[in-house]
Amino acid sequence: MITRVPGQLPSISGAAGHGDLVVTSGVICPDLLLPGMTPATAPDIRRQVDGALQALRGVLREAGSDLQYALRVEAFLARPADFPLWDSAFTAAWPAHAPARTTLVTGFALPVVLIELQAIAVRAPAAMRQR
């Protein structure tokens, strides 16, 4: 049976799972979804990276997983110059046993977005999910 977790927008699933596998949609820093957000008022890259990682953790937890169970993480950056900050944040989030990863530089439909993350993970062991 396929399970689904709500996403950041009503039209987007946050994650879909089947068995022990969880696949997330892309997540961004939630602050970027506030009304009236413009590139001039958008959070800087550090806040966007932190916010996107927190959002990813939240979606994974709601689906019965967590960052530590990520098998693969994809990061999409708006600017190549932000890679060192993302690389440092990735290393801090996964100091040991890091998941496979890919980082791409691309454009976004929302011009305020500087980073978007998505992941493939396994669900936490049953004992962990009951906490």
Side-chain angles (χ1 to χ4, degrees), residues 55-77:
L56 183 61
R57 174 177 275 128
V59 167
L60 287 171
R61 284 183 174 169
E62 194 166 343
S65 187
D66 203 338
L67 291 178
Q68 70 187 23
Y69 299 107
L71 301 173
R72 178 175 176 81
V73 173
E74 289 102 17
F76 302 90
L77 298 174

Side-chain angles (χ1 to χ4, degrees), residues 18-30:
H18 185 272
D20 285 338
L21 189 65
V22 175
V23 180
T24 75
S25 293
V27 295
I28 60 175
C29 176

Side-chain angles (χ1 to χ4, degrees), residues 88-114:
S88 177
F90 179 90
T91 302
W94 291 278
H97 310 293
R101 77 176 197 181
T102 298
T103 302
L104 299 169
V105 177
T106 188
F108 293 100
L110 296 175
V112 295
V113 176
L114 299 177

